[in-house]
Amino acid sequence: MQKKLKVVAATVLFASLSACSLLPEQADETKGWSASKLYSEAKEELAGQHYERAIQLFNKLEASYPFGVYAQQAQLEVAYAYYKAQDQAQALAAVERFIKLHPNHPNVDYMYYLRGLINFNDQIGLLNFVYEQDPAERDPKATREAFAAFRALVDKFPESKYTPDAIDRMKYLINAMATYEVYVARYYYRRGAYLAAANRAMDALRDYKDSPAIEEALWIMIRSYDKLGNVALRDDAMRVFKMNFPNSKFFDEGAPKPERKWWKFWG
């Protein structure tokens, strides 16, 4: 019986090898293409939103012609292609590699800007925490990293054509981070953790003093100190609140505002 099984197995293996030998080898259509040809084809695929194919061609270009202008441009373009393909990890890796290899490249400012964009788009995930995750357990890391990336661009290349947009995005991100802190402070307040609520609101005041979110942060501090029975701190916070927000809606509501969509703060 074992002998028959061996014969059958050998027959199947031979048939498989024979079938494989009959299949034609896949030809590399890019074989022999010049650097300019590879680049133009990759750019065409990128323009047509065929990002995976564009990435393949840019990588092929760099591998085949590692030196010269086309290779550098391919490294830059492939970072953008990964970004458009929503492959954040590969996009960031490509950006960091380009900055390390070509710190003085005339377009390196775009790489700093792209690094910010990659993280900026990822922070959209923060919208989900309102519905899916306890806000006290969520750390808006991507938001802070996007801000840091845009800050690096503004500091290193103040005259860059990308700097004005980066500044606008930084303003948005400051408010996003401030509102996140207030959201968490509100979360603690509603669960009776008044000291944690006051401390988190204080963080928002200290770190994001120019954000509209500080109005609610101050109000949460007032309510939290009141619950803690700390009359002195409550009255001091109220004095500052009345001075800065004399017509605040919180006076009518008598308590921290209900859930608000922080991403609509900027209108």
Side-chain angles (χ1 to χ4, degrees):
M1 181 67 178
Q2 287 184 340
K3 186 175 181 181
K4 288 184 178 180
L5 289 174
K6 289 180 180 179
V7 171
V8 171
T11 303
V12 171
L13 177 61
F14 178 77
S16 299
L17 292 173
S18 299
C20 290
S21 64
L22 293 175
L23 293 174
E25 292 185 7
Q26 279 192 331
D28 181 2
E29 64 173 324
T30 66
K31 186 175 181 179
W33 283 12
S34 66
S36 60
K37 171 70 171 175
L38 280 167
Y39 181 74
S40 64
E41 290 292 328
K43 285 287 287 184
E44 186 174 331
E45 296 290 350
L46 186 60
Q49 301 182 7
H50 306 133
Y51 302 123
E52 290 187 9
R53 179 57 175 164
I55 290 167
Q56 291 175 356
L57 291 174
F58 283 130
N59 287 334
K60 176 74 173 181
L61 168 57
E62 185 184 358
S64 301
Y65 303 95
F67 307 106
V69 177
Y70 281 112
Q72 291 184 12
Q73 193 63 26
Q75 292 168 9
L76 186 149
E77 299 280 2
V78 80
Y80 176 74
Y82 277 125
Y83 163 64
K84 295 299 290 183
Q86 300 182 348
D87 189 336
Q88 185 198 25
Q90 290 284 12
L92 286 174
V95 165
E96 298 299 339
R97 178 170 178 259
F98 186 92
I99 292 174
K100 183 177 180 180
L101 292 175
H102 313 291
N104 300 315
H105 191 278
N107 294 323
V108 73
D109 60 330
Y110 174 70
M111 288 288 97
Y112 280 85
Y113 178 65
L114 183 59
R115 181 167 60 185
L117 288 181
I118 294 165
N119 284 300
F120 184 85
N121 285 355
D122 184 66
Q123 65 88 29
I124 294 299
L126 289 176
L127 302 181
N128 295 330
F129 82 77
V130 176
Y131 305 102
E132 299 175 1
Q133 188 175 15
D134 181 337
E137 297 176 356
R138 176 84 184 206
D139 182 16
K141 179 181 177 182
T143 307
R144 293 198 298 270
E145 289 181 348
F147 183 86
F150 288 131
R151 168 69 73 182
L153 168 66
V154 172
D155 291 344
K156 288 177 177 292
F157 306 98
E159 303 302 321
S160 170
K161 65 181 180 180
Y162 305 108
T163 294
D165 184 70
I167 291 173
D168 287 341
R169 291 175 187 271
M170 286 170 64
K171 291 176 181 177
Y172 170 84
L173 290 168
I174 285 174
N175 197 57
M177 291 185 286
T179 309
Y180 173 82
E181 294 297 322
V182 171
Y183 187 98
V184 176
R186 193 189 314 132
Y187 168 85
Y188 285 136
Y189 179 86
R190 288 176 174 171
R191 282 152 184 78
Y194 302 120
L195 181 59
N199 288 338
R200 202 66 185 242
M202 178 64 77
D203 289 343
L205 287 170
R206 183 189 65 240
D207 298 334
Y208 312 108
K209 60 182 180 180
D210 295 324
S211 168
I214 67 169
E215 179 181 358
E216 185 173 359
L218 263 170
W219 186 252
I220 290 174
M221 287 175 63
I222 293 167
R223 301 291 292 177
S224 296
Y225 290 141
D226 184 63
K227 291 291 187 179
L228 291 167
N230 194 325
V231 177
L233 288 179
R234 180 201 66 190
D235 291 347
D236 188 50
M238 180 62 79
R239 177 182 56 80
V240 175
F241 187 84
K242 288 181 177 179
M243 184 183 302
N244 289 275
F245 308 103
N247 301 313
S248 175
K249 295 179 180 179
F250 288 110
F251 288 125
D252 297 326
E253 295 179 10
K257 285 186 178 181
E259 303 289 342
R260 294 186 294 178
K261 295 181 173 58
W262 63 264
W263 61 92
K264 293 186 177 180
F265 255 72
W266 291 93

